[in-house]
Amino acid sequence: MTGRLQDKVAIVTGGARGMGEATVRLFAREGAKVVIADVLEAEGQALAADIGDAAMFQRLDVSDEGSWTALVDAVIARHGRIDALVNNAAVVAFGPITALSVEDIDRVLGINVKGTMLGMKHVGAKMCAAGRGAIVNISSVDGLRGVNSVSLYSSSKWAVRGFTKSAAMEFGHQGVRVNSVHPGGVNTAMGNPQSLEGDAKNYGYERVPLQRIGEPEEIAAASLFLCSDEASYICGAELAVDGGWAAGYYHHYLPAAPASLTSI
């Protein structure tokens, strides 16, 4: 039985851990040759070694254009093609707008926005020249709504969402599909920094329809679908993988809320 990405070549940025690692492992199981692109060299090399011949590690600073050209050259030299790109690398900064530092602005926008744009510029060019490809940009539920204390992260994810739409217009007629995925809270170092387990890791998600945090594998499954031929007529779409968070937030004092919230 062949995999859903059989013989395709995929790049996953931020692929050494968290959602990126889950995506790398799933893509490899589904038959892809996966490039783990990250600044975390030890973790990335260990992951590639664990997966075996289906994976290679390439150091990538997504905010540096020279790093992107080196990555693309290395992948083309080894595999001769690039079929899929998941722009997953991202960082977050917390704090009110009035306290934002220039350093935080440069770091978050440099990685989350500039990094995504550079990936699409260089990988997208190869895909358009070949007349095929699929790009998934990892945005966020925070790219679908406003949120306090993470305005910088949220604005970067709105930018990723908007850039995806424009890229879909430019790349679609050249055979390259571009879509965005919008995770909610995810059980990673970013979404669960205290590494809470069991019911504790779901704290704060009681008012989300599914009432729990998401798992990295659930986000990876969405990227797999959008990169596969099953999504051959999907371009410019945004897929919320957020437990229903974007749909709404329970008000515990109104009817039809979960019984578990009535005591709040």
Side-chain angles (χ1 to χ4, degrees):
M1 182 176 179
T2 59
R4 295 163 71 187
L5 297 181
Q6 195 66 41
D7 300 324
K8 294 184 184 294
V9 177
I11 297 172
V12 180
T13 72
R17 67 180 183 184
M19 292 192 303
E21 177 184 353
T23 303
V24 167
R25 290 187 181 278
L26 179 59
F27 279 26
R29 288 198 300 271
E30 291 292 338
K33 299 293 186 182
V34 190
V35 181
I36 305 160
D38 209 312
V39 293
L40 301 175
E41 296 190 39
E43 293 93 330
Q45 290 171 348
L47 178 58
D50 186 49
I51 293 173
D53 292 340
M56 65 175 278
F57 172 77
Q58 176 75 23
R59 188 184 189 282
L60 173 70
D61 174 356
V62 295
S63 67
D64 178 68
E65 187 161 30
S67 192
W68 271 108
T69 57
L71 169 69
V72 171
D73 288 347
V75 176
I76 294 297
R78 178 163 177 170
H79 296 294
R81 57 190 288 171
I82 303 173
D83 300 293
L85 167 66
V86 179
N87 278 312
N88 166 76
V91 294
V92 66
F94 297 95
I97 294 170
T98 53
L100 292 176
S101 69
V102 171
E103 291 76 17
D104 278 342
I105 293 170
D106 289 343
R107 180 174 66 94
V108 173
L109 298 186
I111 293 173
N112 298 7
V113 181
K114 181 182 176 183
T116 298
M117 290 179 169
L118 287 174
M120 295 178 71
K121 173 184 176 180
H122 291 283
V123 177
K126 294 294 185 184
M127 289 180 172
C128 288
R132 64 176 187 276
I135 298 174
V136 173
N137 294 324
I138 304 299
S139 179
S140 170
V141 68
D142 293 336
L144 298 170
R145 58 185 178 81
V147 60
N148 58 297
S149 191
V150 289
S151 58
L152 183 52
Y153 175 79
S154 178
S155 64
S156 75
K157 293 304 187 176
W158 275 85
V160 168
R161 177 189 180 192
F163 194 62
T164 298
K165 303 289 190 187
S166 295
M169 296 296 296
E170 292 192 19
F171 291 178
H173 67 95
Q174 300 183 74
V176 180
R177 298 182 296 102
V178 188
N179 296 288
S180 59
V181 168
H182 299 255
V186 182
N187 187 22
T188 64
M190 183 184 292
N192 182 11
Q194 295 176 294
S195 300
L196 300 174
E197 298 181 354
D199 291 340
K201 69 183 179 183
N202 297 319
Y203 177 77
Y205 295 96
E206 298 91 344
R207 290 189 171 93
V208 174
L210 294 190
Q211 295 194 288
R212 65 173 177 84
I213 198 169
E215 296 298 331
E217 293 76 14
E218 294 175 302
I219 314 304
S223 294
L224 170 65
F225 167 65
L226 290 173
C227 287
S228 74
D229 293 340
E230 297 164 21
S232 58
Y233 200 54
I234 301 177
C235 187
E238 49 196 42
L239 177 56
V241 189
D242 62 353
W245 199 344
Y249 207 60
Y250 288 123
H251 295 284
H252 65 279
Y253 48 84
L254 293 177
S260 59
L261 295 182
T262 56
S263 61
I264 294 179

